[in-house]
Amino acid sequence: MKKPKRATAAKAKKGRKTRGSRTRTAPKRATAPRRGSRAGAAKETGKTTGKSTGKATSKDTSRATLRDLRTRLAQALRRVAELEAAADTDFLLGIPNRRGFERELQRAIAYMKRYRASGALIVLDVDRLKPINDSFGHAAGDEVLKAIANTLTRQIRASDVVGRLGGDEFALLLWNLSETDAKAKAVIFEQAIDDLSFTFRGQLVAAGASAGVALLGAQSDAARALEEADAAMYVRKAQRRHEPRIRLVSS
């Protein structure tokens, strides 16, 4: 016996309802934003801005580091220049020491060789510095040396150079002088130092100086010129030996 058609239709209708309810309760799948959408554009813009900011920060850091290195380099170079100047300068008198003067002499001779210029080298020795040191102390001797350095500096031109070779010995580099003029200049230096007077412990003290000359030109050698001027200075010192070693006058 066949079942009635209504029951079959009811079952089919119930099945459709069940499938429909399952479909409605199923979660929706998340879909990725399309490239042209606003969300996607915002994410892309964020990534680009982050990269640009990172690059800018890196560049700023590099520039700051470069500026710092340049500043340190400039400071180091200034310090090196200061040390070199100090190494060439007599700490007591503030004029070139032997090293500094010899460097200036070598430069001058190189210039003379290139441009056929001339000059003179004068080596000057203080005659009575040791007795002053022995009688009144090295502070008195330092005062005498400072006065002599100032006197010589006032007697030369801006292009000339005065230096201290060591102890009681000075040297002068003079430009464009003939032999006659150079010897006359040496006598002027001697007289200017002879005229200096000092008072130590109530006593009037006078120093003195002996000067030797060597001419400079295109064929000159720095070491040989110093030897020649030094030898001439000792000859001159022998001529002055009749003078008292130190003159003390009651104040």
Side-chain angles (χ1 to χ4, degrees):
M1 182 176 178
K2 293 183 180 180
K3 294 181 181 181
K5 292 182 179 181
R6 287 185 179 180
T8 303
K11 286 184 179 181
K13 188 176 181 181
K14 186 179 180 180
R16 284 197 300 270
K17 287 183 179 180
T18 304
R19 286 195 298 269
S21 62
R22 288 179 181 174
T23 303
R24 284 195 299 270
T25 56
K28 293 182 179 180
R29 293 183 180 179
T31 56
R34 291 175 296 175
R35 281 191 169 181
S37 65
R38 293 183 180 179
K43 287 186 177 180
E44 292 294 332
T45 303
K47 291 180 180 178
T48 305
T49 305
K51 290 181 180 178
S52 301
T53 304
K55 289 182 179 179
T57 304
S58 178
K59 285 183 179 180
D60 292 341
T61 303
S62 299
R63 288 173 182 172
T65 302
L66 183 59
R67 284 195 299 269
D68 182 61
L69 290 175
R70 285 176 177 173
T71 302
R72 292 185 181 184
L73 177 60
Q75 292 173 349
L77 291 176
R78 283 196 297 269
R79 182 57 179 162
V80 169
E82 290 173 358
L83 292 174
E84 288 181 349
D88 290 344
T89 304
D90 185 90
F91 73 95
L92 176 65
L93 306 180
I95 60 177
N97 56 18
R98 187 180 193 94
R99 171 181 167 175
F101 184 84
E102 288 181 350
R103 180 176 295 179
E104 291 295 329
L105 180 59
Q106 291 171 354
R107 290 175 179 171
I109 292 177
Y111 180 91
M112 292 175 186
K113 289 180 179 179
R114 182 172 182 179
Y115 297 102
R116 300 293 175 182
S118 63
L121 171 66
I122 297 178
V123 171
L124 187 146
D125 187 83
V126 182
D127 288 333
R128 296 183 286 271
L129 184 64
K130 187 177 184 303
I132 292 175
N133 283 332
D134 293 343
S135 300
F136 305 104
H138 287 278
D142 290 345
E143 184 177 336
V144 172
L145 291 173
K146 290 177 182 178
I148 291 174
N150 291 332
T151 299
L152 295 176
T153 301
R154 289 195 300 267
Q155 294 284 336
I156 63 175
R157 299 161 293 184
S159 58
D160 300 331
V161 181
V162 57
R164 183 186 182 189
L165 298 182
D168 54 1
E169 196 170 59
F170 292 82
L172 299 105
L173 169 62
L174 309 175
W175 286 90
N176 301 321
L177 288 181
S178 64
E179 182 177 3
T180 301
D181 292 338
K183 290 182 178 180
K185 196 68 175 175
V187 173
I188 292 174
F189 291 148
E190 288 181 348
Q191 187 63 49
I193 294 173
D194 288 344
D195 291 342
L196 294 175
S197 61
F198 308 88
T199 301
F200 301 123
R201 299 176 188 170
Q203 292 181 310
L204 189 65
V205 179
S210 302
V213 179
L215 297 180
L216 300 174
Q219 306 301 321
S220 296
D221 176 77
R224 190 179 305 151
L226 282 169
E227 290 176 359
E228 291 176 3
D230 200 55
M233 179 270 295
Y234 278 108
V235 172
R236 176 61 178 157
K237 185 178 284 289
Q239 296 172 355
R240 292 166 59 92
R241 280 179 181 168
H242 66 280
E243 298 180 2
R245 300 299 296 170
I246 185 168
R247 186 166 68 249
L248 302 177
V249 181
S250 177
S251 59

